[in-house]
Amino acid sequence: MLDTAFLRLWSGTTASGLATWALPFVLGLAVLSREIGPAGLGLLLAARTAGFLAAVAVGGVLADRHARRAVVLWSGLAAAAAAPLLAVGLDRSLPLMAAAAALAGAGQGACRPAFQALTAEVVAPARRQQANAAITLAVRVSALSGPALTALLATVLGTRALLLGIGLLWLAAALVPGRGREKAPAAEPDAADGGAPEGEPTRRPSFRAEFLEGIREARRHPWFLAGLTALTAVIATGYSATGVALPMISRDRYGTEWVLAAATTAYTVGALGGALAVARLRPHNAGWAALAGLAVYGFAPVSLMLPVHPAVVVAAYAVAGAGIELFNVPWFTATQREVAPDKLARVSSLDFLLSYGLAPAGLALIAPAIDAFGTAPVLAFCALVCFAVPAAAALVPSARHFASR
């Protein structure tokens, strides 16, 4: 796994992951320093999410249409360009900052499917699970160590300098990864098959047509549709519910912010352990094992429902974090193995579009649901979804091995 091509790819994906994580944290520090208000923070995060959702599908089409390395380059440069605009607008122009946040989100969204497809180009099939585990390990280490490091840097650098640092991370994500395999030229359609007559230039399909082709490819893999449904359900319900309920329960039931901090840290530590384990594990029924790992996220909302010792909540979050990576790494690896290489980025963009795209909707709906029905019923419903939907996905025959054959 120490070959130069992978190390360069790993460095680029790590830089992009750290930059993605750091932006909302640094903007939160700007709220504490009164350089923006809480409402402004909400607007900026919403703008970033909107940019991500608008660009992820386009990025998937572009990464299948052109060289994946080029898409990584230009999307990273776009996100890098957003950083100085954010710094200029800080405490001066919220509209400028919102536009810059949308640009940063667009760069993030466009690069995600391109990085997924580039991994399949750079890493041999037998080593992809280890490669995906190494990439997710770097992301989790960044999430674990990032808050302390960023808070320390904030004492000497200030918010503007930190925003410019995020731009440098995106610049590294754009420039460091090497080239993947050269894309094979598309076959010329034959006139007898309805293509252009000989001698006439062929017309490239529209973005919509190519995106729909990616959807058709996804539908060829029932295990992918089942797994994506399960992942989306868990993120939109369990992940969103615990994100809203954990701070409230930490304050109201336990009377301390320690439970919130400990549970969040335990989740990341558990994810690190899960990524380390899955780098070596090769279960025979890989799809079932991955879906079981996804389902254990349900223990997080269960722990918040019950009047348990805080250590139980912390342990439940550690288990949930481990389970997420026991799902994520085989999921990415199976997608890279099973999906047609020339459609991989588009199918990956569907993954990010649904699983990450519905998370803000879940967060927006959970708080009103808790106000209307109470915390315990909402957490119980979310736990049931976390357990039941992956179990139902496992009933799809091809889900057993995450393989269509």
Side-chain angles (χ1 to χ4, degrees), residues 237 241 245 301 305 365-384:
T237 58
M305 288 170 50
L365 293 174
I366 290 296
I370 288 176
D371 289 339
F373 304 106
T375 303
V378 171
L379 289 173
F381 171 77
C382 292
L384 179 62

Side-chain angles (χ1 to χ4, degrees), residues 231-300:
L231 177 61
T232 302
V234 169
I235 290 179
T237 58
Y239 187 84
S240 298
T242 54
V244 173
L246 177 60
M248 299 186 336
I249 289 173
S250 180
R251 179 196 64 197
D252 298 339
R253 181 188 298 166
Y254 300 107
T256 175
E257 296 178 354
W258 177 87
V259 177
L260 170 62
T264 304
T265 302
Y267 179 85
T268 303
V269 171
L272 280 170
L276 283 171
V278 80
R280 297 181 176 275
L281 292 175
R282 294 294 190 276
H284 178 65
N285 299 318
W288 282 359
L291 290 168
L294 183 62
V296 301
Y297 196 94
F299 289 115

Side-chain angles (χ1 to χ4, degrees), residues 330-398:
W331 172 253
F332 291 144
T333 304
T335 303
Q336 292 161 353
R337 180 188 68 240
E338 296 291 320
V339 172
D342 62 329
K343 302 178 181 67
L344 177 55
R346 279 170 284 179
V347 173
S348 295
S349 74
L350 287 175
D351 180 355
F352 298 126
L353 187 64
L354 291 178
S355 59
Y356 288 91
L358 289 182
L363 287 169
L365 293 174
I366 290 296
I370 288 176
D371 289 339
F373 304 106
T375 303
V378 171
L379 289 173
F381 171 77
C382 292
L384 179 62
V385 170
C386 290
F387 291 133
V389 179
L395 298 177
V396 175
S398 58

Side-chain angles (χ1 to χ4, degrees), residues 294-315:
L294 183 62
V296 301
Y297 196 94
F299 289 115
V302 166
S303 72
L304 298 178
M305 288 170 50
L306 305 174
V308 296
H309 190 276
V312 176
V313 177
V314 174

Side-chain angles (χ1 to χ4, degrees), residues 103-187:
L103 179 61
Q108 176 194 345
C111 81
R112 288 299 295 271
F115 266 128
Q116 278 290 96
L118 193 58
T119 301
E121 292 186 358
V122 168
V123 182
R127 304 173 71 184
R128 284 179 192 158
Q129 184 151 322
Q130 290 176 295
N132 287 316
I135 290 170
T136 197
L137 268 171
V139 172
R140 296 302 182 182
V141 169
S142 300
L144 188 62
S145 60
L149 178 61
T150 306
L152 179 63
L153 290 173
T155 62
V156 294
L157 293 180
T159 307
R160 282 189 173 83
L162 292 175
L163 288 171
L164 294 176
I166 292 173
L168 292 177
L169 287 172
W170 275 115
L171 198 60
L175 298 178
V176 169
R179 292 180 178 274
R181 294 190 303 268
E182 292 295 328
K183 294 181 70 65

